[in-house]
Amino acid sequence: MTEDQQGKYGASITLESVQGGERNVVQAAGEVIAKGSLLYIRYEEIERGPKGEEVSVRTTLKISDSGLKLMRHGGIQSEQSFERGQRLPGFYRSSYTQFNLSTDTRKLDIKRAGRSLTVSWEYDLYVYEELSGQFAISLHIQEETQL
């Protein structure tokens, strides 16, 4: 991901998560902000809260050459960082619970071609220092064409 581009543009975002054989796909419209070799991807999701209510969550991904950071704000607040071969701290907070977590990233691939980006990573999630799950994530960003 060594391409340096500046600017902001609209993008379609597809995030696929697999854990324990269960697959979850999120598709959203968002924006990409390029600052040198860093990319910031922002989008909004509507999730179900603990009582079944809809909760708005704003997600920002910060992608660098060495890794990525996932930050979520709104009805849920969380932060997770991913760097290959590293176990990094994070947290999760909602109005009903909060806990510290860490991610141990086994695989991280970042492929950038112009204004398209594919990131895939696999990690172990630890909550209170105990293994909580193993995840495989795939993220695809495609610039939205202007009509």
Side-chain angles (χ1 to χ4, degrees):
M1 196 186 88
T2 58
E3 232 172 292
D4 281 353
Q5 288 186 330
Q6 302 296 316
K8 180 160 81 168
Y9 54 92
S12 61
I13 297 159
T14 303
L15 182 72
E16 179 180 341
S17 167
V18 178
Q19 190 237 349
E22 188 174 316
R23 182 175 174 260
N24 183 41
V25 177
V26 172
Q27 293 186 309
E31 67 179 358
V32 176
I33 300 160
K35 293 184 179 179
S37 64
L38 294 177
L39 283 181
Y40 295 87
I41 291 101
R42 294 194 302 210
Y43 62 95
E44 192 165 331
E45 299 175 71
I46 302 297
E47 293 197 356
R48 292 272 174 227
K51 294 182 178 177
E53 75 278 17
E54 289 189 346
V55 176
S56 174
V57 178
R58 291 176 315 282
T59 300
T60 302
L61 280 155
K62 177 183 175 184
I63 301 174
S64 68
D65 290 333
S66 61
L68 64 112
K69 181 180 255 187
L70 176 67
M71 298 161 280
R72 303 175 83 207
H73 299 281
I76 295 168
Q77 297 199 37
S78 69
E79 192 171 286
Q80 294 174 282
S81 297
F82 305 93
E83 286 185 32
R84 187 177 337 174
Q86 299 292 314
R87 185 165 171 177
L88 299 171
F91 65 86
Y92 176 94
R93 289 187 200 110
S94 73
S95 54
Y96 298 96
T97 188
Q98 67 179 28
F99 50 85
N100 290 326
L101 55 85
S102 61
T103 55
D104 189 353
T105 307
R106 297 184 309 273
K107 174 188 165 197
L108 176 63
D109 292 316
I110 302 170
K111 295 184 178 100
R112 186 173 175 188
R115 291 190 165 189
S116 293
L117 175 76
T118 301
V119 182
S120 58
W121 67 102
E122 295 177 5
Y123 68 97
D124 295 333
L125 176 66
Y126 291 86
V127 177
Y128 297 119
E129 299 302 318
E130 290 192 25
L131 182 62
S132 177
Q134 296 180 316
F135 294 82
I137 311 290
S138 171
L139 170 71
H140 182 71
I141 311 279
Q142 180 67 50
E143 179 180 18
E144 289 188 341
T145 55
Q146 304 297 319
L147 299 177

Short mmCIF file of all heavy atoms in Angstrom, two decimals, residues 57-92:
data_model
loop_
_atom_site.label_atom_id
_atom_site.label_comp_id
_atom_site.label_asym_id
_atom_site.label_seq_id
_atom_site.Cartn_x
_atom_site.Cartn_y
_atom_site.Cartn_z
N VAL A 57 -24.18 3.09 14.66
CA VAL A 57 -22.77 2.98 15.01
C VAL A 57 -21.94 3.52 13.84
O VAL A 57 -22.07 3.06 12.71
CB VAL A 57 -22.38 1.50 15.29
CG1 VAL A 57 -20.90 1.40 15.60
CG2 VAL A 57 -23.22 0.92 16.41
N ARG A 58 -21.10 4.52 14.12
CA ARG A 58 -20.19 5.07 13.12
C ARG A 58 -18.85 4.34 13.23
O ARG A 58 -18.26 4.28 14.30
CB ARG A 58 -19.99 6.57 13.36
CG ARG A 58 -21.23 7.40 13.06
CD ARG A 58 -21.04 8.87 13.38
NE ARG A 58 -20.41 9.16 14.66
CZ ARG A 58 -21.01 9.11 15.84
NH1 ARG A 58 -22.27 8.75 15.94
NH2 ARG A 58 -20.36 9.41 16.95
N THR A 59 -18.40 3.80 12.12
CA THR A 59 -17.17 3.02 12.09
C THR A 59 -16.11 3.76 11.29
O THR A 59 -16.39 4.28 10.21
CB THR A 59 -17.42 1.63 11.46
OG1 THR A 59 -18.41 0.95 12.24
CG2 THR A 59 -16.15 0.80 11.41
N THR A 60 -14.90 3.82 11.84
CA THR A 60 -13.75 4.39 11.14
C THR A 60 -12.65 3.33 11.14
O THR A 60 -12.32 2.78 12.19
CB THR A 60 -13.23 5.66 11.84
OG1 THR A 60 -14.28 6.63 11.89
CG2 THR A 60 -12.04 6.25 11.09
N LEU A 61 -12.10 3.07 9.98
CA LEU A 61 -10.94 2.20 9.84
C LEU A 61 -9.75 3.06 9.44
O LEU A 61 -9.84 3.83 8.48
CB LEU A 61 -11.17 1.17 8.74
CG LEU A 61 -12.01 -0.03 9.11
CD1 LEU A 61 -12.65 -0.61 7.87
CD2 LEU A 61 -11.15 -1.06 9.79
N LYS A 62 -8.66 2.93 10.16
CA LYS A 62 -7.43 3.63 9.82
C LYS A 62 -6.46 2.56 9.31
O LYS A 62 -6.10 1.64 10.04
CB LYS A 62 -6.84 4.33 11.04
CG LYS A 62 -5.52 5.01 10.78
CD LYS A 62 -4.97 5.61 12.06
CE LYS A 62 -3.59 6.20 11.85
NZ LYS A 62 -3.03 6.69 13.13
N ILE A 63 -6.07 2.68 8.04
CA ILE A 63 -5.22 1.66 7.42
C ILE A 63 -3.86 2.27 7.08
O ILE A 63 -3.78 3.29 6.41
CB ILE A 63 -5.90 1.11 6.15
CG1 ILE A 63 -7.26 0.50 6.52
CG2 ILE A 63 -5.00 0.08 5.47
CD1 ILE A 63 -8.08 0.05 5.35
N SER A 64 -2.82 1.61 7.57
CA SER A 64 -1.45 2.02 7.27
C SER A 64 -0.74 0.86 6.59
O SER A 64 -1.32 -0.21 6.38
CB SER A 64 -0.72 2.39 8.57
OG SER A 64 -0.51 1.23 9.36
N ASP A 65 0.53 1.04 6.26
CA ASP A 65 1.29 -0.03 5.63
C ASP A 65 1.45 -1.24 6.55
O ASP A 65 1.54 -2.36 6.09
CB ASP A 65 2.68 0.46 5.21
CG ASP A 65 2.60 1.43 4.04
OD1 ASP A 65 1.65 1.33 3.25
OD2 ASP A 65 3.49 2.29 3.93
N SER A 66 1.49 -1.00 7.86
CA SER A 66 1.78 -2.09 8.80
C SER A 66 0.55 -2.70 9.46
O SER A 66 0.66 -3.73 10.12
CB SER A 66 2.74 -1.60 9.89
OG SER A 66 2.13 -0.55 10.61
N GLY A 67 -0.61 -2.05 9.35
CA GLY A 67 -1.77 -2.61 10.03
C GLY A 67 -2.99 -1.74 9.92
O GLY A 67 -3.05 -0.82 9.10
N LEU A 68 -3.97 -2.04 10.75
CA LEU A 68 -5.18 -1.26 10.74
C LEU A 68 -5.77 -1.15 12.13
O LEU A 68 -5.48 -1.97 13.01
CB LEU A 68 -6.21 -1.82 9.76
CG LEU A 68 -6.76 -3.20 10.03
CD1 LEU A 68 -8.22 -3.10 10.39
CD2 LEU A 68 -6.62 -4.03 8.77
N LYS A 69 -6.56 -0.12 12.32
CA LYS A 69 -7.25 0.13 13.58
C LYS A 69 -8.72 0.32 13.25
O LYS A 69 -9.07 1.08 12.34
CB LYS A 69 -6.69 1.36 14.27
CG LYS A 69 -7.35 1.66 15.60
CD LYS A 69 -6.76 2.89 16.24
CE LYS A 69 -5.86 2.45 17.37
NZ LYS A 69 -5.36 3.58 18.16
N LEU A 70 -9.59 -0.37 13.98
CA LEU A 70 -11.03 -0.32 13.81
C LEU A 70 -11.62 0.40 15.01
O LEU A 70 -11.46 -0.06 16.14
CB LEU A 70 -11.59 -1.74 13.69
CG LEU A 70 -13.09 -1.91 13.61
CD1 LEU A 70 -13.63 -1.35 12.31
CD2 LEU A 70 -13.45 -3.38 13.73
N MET A 71 -12.28 1.55 14.76
CA MET A 71 -12.86 2.35 15.84
C MET A 71 -14.35 2.52 15.58
O MET A 71 -14.74 2.86 14.46
CB MET A 71 -12.17 3.72 15.90
CG MET A 71 -10.69 3.63 16.19
SD MET A 71 -9.79 5.12 15.73
CE MET A 71 -9.61 4.90 13.96
N ARG A 72 -15.16 2.25 16.61
CA ARG A 72 -16.61 2.36 16.46
C ARG A 72 -17.15 3.28 17.55
O ARG A 72 -16.74 3.19 18.70
CB ARG A 72 -17.24 0.97 16.57
CG ARG A 72 -16.64 0.03 15.54
CD ARG A 72 -17.12 -1.36 15.67
NE ARG A 72 -18.41 -1.46 15.00
CZ ARG A 72 -19.34 -2.33 15.33
NH1 ARG A 72 -19.16 -3.17 16.30
NH2 ARG A 72 -20.47 -2.35 14.66
N HIS A 73 -18.08 4.17 17.15
CA HIS A 73 -18.67 5.15 18.07
C HIS A 73 -20.17 5.21 17.84
O HIS A 73 -20.64 5.04 16.73
CB HIS A 73 -18.05 6.53 17.85
CG HIS A 73 -16.59 6.56 18.11
ND1 HIS A 73 -16.05 6.62 19.36
CD2 HIS A 73 -15.54 6.51 17.26
CE1 HIS A 73 -14.74 6.61 19.29
NE2 HIS A 73 -14.40 6.54 18.01
N GLY A 74 -20.89 5.48 18.88
CA GLY A 74 -22.34 5.57 18.81
C GLY A 74 -22.94 4.71 19.90
O GLY A 74 -22.51 4.76 21.05
N GLY A 75 -23.95 3.89 19.53
CA GLY A 75 -24.57 2.99 20.50
C GLY A 75 -23.59 1.99 21.08
O GLY A 75 -23.77 1.47 22.17
N ILE A 76 -22.52 1.72 20.32
CA ILE A 76 -21.43 0.85 20.76
C ILE A 76 -20.15 1.64 20.57
O ILE A 76 -19.99 2.35 19.59
CB ILE A 76 -21.36 -0.43 19.89
CG1 ILE A 76 -22.61 -1.28 20.10
CG2 ILE A 76 -20.10 -1.23 20.19
CD1 ILE A 76 -22.75 -2.39 19.09
N GLN A 77 -19.23 1.52 21.53
CA GLN A 77 -17.92 2.11 21.37
C GLN A 77 -16.89 1.00 21.52
O GLN A 77 -16.93 0.25 22.49
CB GLN A 77 -17.69 3.19 22.42
CG GLN A 77 -18.68 4.32 22.26
CD GLN A 77 -18.23 5.58 22.93
OE1 GLN A 77 -17.05 5.89 22.93
NE2 GLN A 77 -19.17 6.30 23.50
N SER A 78 -16.02 0.89 20.53
CA SER A 78 -14.97 -0.13 20.63
C SER A 78 -13.77 0.29 19.82
O SER A 78 -13.85 1.18 18.97
CB SER A 78 -15.49 -1.49 20.15
OG SER A 78 -15.72 -1.47 18.76
N GLU A 79 -12.66 -0.36 20.13
CA GLU A 79 -11.43 -0.12 19.41
C GLU A 79 -10.65 -1.43 19.35
O GLU A 79 -10.49 -2.10 20.36
CB GLU A 79 -10.60 0.95 20.12
CG GLU A 79 -9.45 1.47 19.32
CD GLU A 79 -8.81 2.66 19.99
OE1 GLU A 79 -9.41 3.75 19.97
OE2 GLU A 79 -7.71 2.47 20.54
N GLN A 80 -10.23 -1.80 18.13
CA GLN A 80 -9.41 -2.97 17.92
C GLN A 80 -8.30 -2.61 16.96
O GLN A 80 -8.53 -1.89 15.99
CB GLN A 80 -10.22 -4.12 17.32
CG GLN A 80 -11.29 -4.68 18.23
CD GLN A 80 -12.13 -5.72 17.50
OE1 GLN A 80 -13.00 -5.35 16.72
NE2 GLN A 80 -11.87 -6.98 17.73
N SER A 81 -7.09 -3.12 17.24
CA SER A 81 -5.94 -2.87 16.36
C SER A 81 -5.41 -4.21 15.87
O SER A 81 -5.45 -5.21 16.60
CB SER A 81 -4.84 -2.14 17.12
OG SER A 81 -5.30 -0.87 17.52
N PHE A 82 -4.90 -4.19 14.63
CA PHE A 82 -4.42 -5.42 14.00
C PHE A 82 -3.08 -5.17 13.33
O PHE A 82 -2.97 -4.31 12.47
CB PHE A 82 -5.43 -5.89 12.94
CG PHE A 82 -6.83 -6.07 13.48
CD1 PHE A 82 -7.74 -5.03 13.40
CD2 PHE A 82 -7.21 -7.25 14.07
CE1 PHE A 82 -9.03 -5.17 13.90
CE2 PHE A 82 -8.49 -7.41 14.59
CZ PHE A 82 -9.40 -6.38 14.50
N GLU A 83 -2.06 -5.92 13.74
CA GLU A 83 -0.76 -5.94 13.09
C GLU A 83 -0.30 -7.39 13.10
O GLU A 83 -0.35 -8.06 14.14
CB GLU A 83 0.26 -5.07 13.84
CG GLU A 83 0.04 -3.59 13.65
CD GLU A 83 1.14 -2.76 14.28
OE1 GLU A 83 2.31 -3.22 14.34
OE2 GLU A 83 0.83 -1.65 14.73
N ARG A 84 0.14 -7.88 11.95
CA ARG A 84 0.54 -9.28 11.83
C ARG A 84 1.57 -9.65 12.89
O ARG A 84 2.55 -8.94 13.09
CB ARG A 84 1.12 -9.53 10.44
CG ARG A 84 1.42 -11.00 10.16
CD ARG A 84 1.92 -11.19 8.77
NE ARG A 84 1.44 -10.04 8.00
CZ ARG A 84 1.74 -9.77 6.76
NH1 ARG A 84 2.50 -10.55 6.10
NH2 ARG A 84 1.29 -8.72 6.15
N GLY A 85 1.32 -10.77 13.58
CA GLY A 85 2.26 -11.28 14.57
C GLY A 85 2.22 -10.54 15.90
O GLY A 85 3.03 -10.81 16.78
N GLN A 86 1.28 -9.61 16.07
CA GLN A 86 1.21 -8.81 17.29
C GLN A 86 -0.10 -9.08 18.05
O GLN A 86 -1.14 -9.27 17.43
CB GLN A 86 1.27 -7.31 16.97
CG GLN A 86 2.53 -6.87 16.28
CD GLN A 86 3.73 -6.95 17.19
OE1 GLN A 86 3.69 -6.53 18.34
NE2 GLN A 86 4.80 -7.53 16.68
N ARG A 87 0.00 -9.05 19.37
CA ARG A 87 -1.20 -9.08 20.21
C ARG A 87 -1.37 -7.67 20.78
O ARG A 87 -0.51 -7.19 21.52
CB ARG A 87 -1.05 -10.11 21.33
CG ARG A 87 -2.32 -10.25 22.13
CD ARG A 87 -2.26 -11.51 22.97
NE ARG A 87 -3.36 -11.55 23.91
CZ ARG A 87 -3.58 -12.56 24.72
NH1 ARG A 87 -2.77 -13.61 24.71
NH2 ARG A 87 -4.59 -12.53 25.54
N LEU A 88 -2.48 -7.02 20.40
CA LEU A 88 -2.66 -5.60 20.73
C LEU A 88 -3.94 -5.40 21.54
O LEU A 88 -4.94 -6.07 21.32
CB LEU A 88 -2.74 -4.78 19.44
CG LEU A 88 -1.48 -4.85 18.55
CD1 LEU A 88 -1.72 -4.20 17.21
CD2 LEU A 88 -0.29 -4.23 19.26
N PRO A 89 -3.91 -4.44 22.48
CA PRO A 89 -5.07 -4.22 23.35
C PRO A 89 -6.18 -3.43 22.67
O PRO A 89 -5.94 -2.71 21.70
CB PRO A 89 -4.48 -3.41 24.51
CG PRO A 89 -3.33 -2.66 23.89
CD PRO A 89 -2.78 -3.58 22.82
N GLY A 90 -7.39 -3.57 23.20
CA GLY A 90 -8.54 -2.82 22.72
C GLY A 90 -9.62 -2.81 23.79
O GLY A 90 -9.38 -3.23 24.94
N PHE A 91 -10.82 -2.36 23.42
CA PHE A 91 -11.92 -2.33 24.39
C PHE A 91 -13.25 -2.38 23.66
O PHE A 91 -13.34 -2.16 22.46
CB PHE A 91 -11.85 -1.08 25.28
CG PHE A 91 -12.06 0.21 24.53
CD1 PHE A 91 -13.33 0.71 24.31
CD2 PHE A 91 -10.98 0.93 24.05
CE1 PHE A 91 -13.53 1.90 23.61
CE2 PHE A 91 -11.16 2.12 23.35
CZ PHE A 91 -12.45 2.60 23.14
N TYR A 92 -14.30 -2.68 24.43
CA TYR A 92 -15.68 -2.69 23.95
C TYR A 92 -16.54 -2.09 25.04
O TYR A 92 -16.41 -2.46 26.21
CB TYR A 92 -16.14 -4.13 23.65
CG TYR A 92 -17.58 -4.21 23.24
CD1 TYR A 92 -17.93 -4.21 21.89
CD2 TYR A 92 -18.60 -4.29 24.18
CE1 TYR A 92 -19.27 -4.28 21.50
CE2 TYR A 92 -19.93 -4.37 23.79
CZ TYR A 92 -20.26 -4.36 22.46
OH TYR A 92 -21.56 -4.42 22.07
#
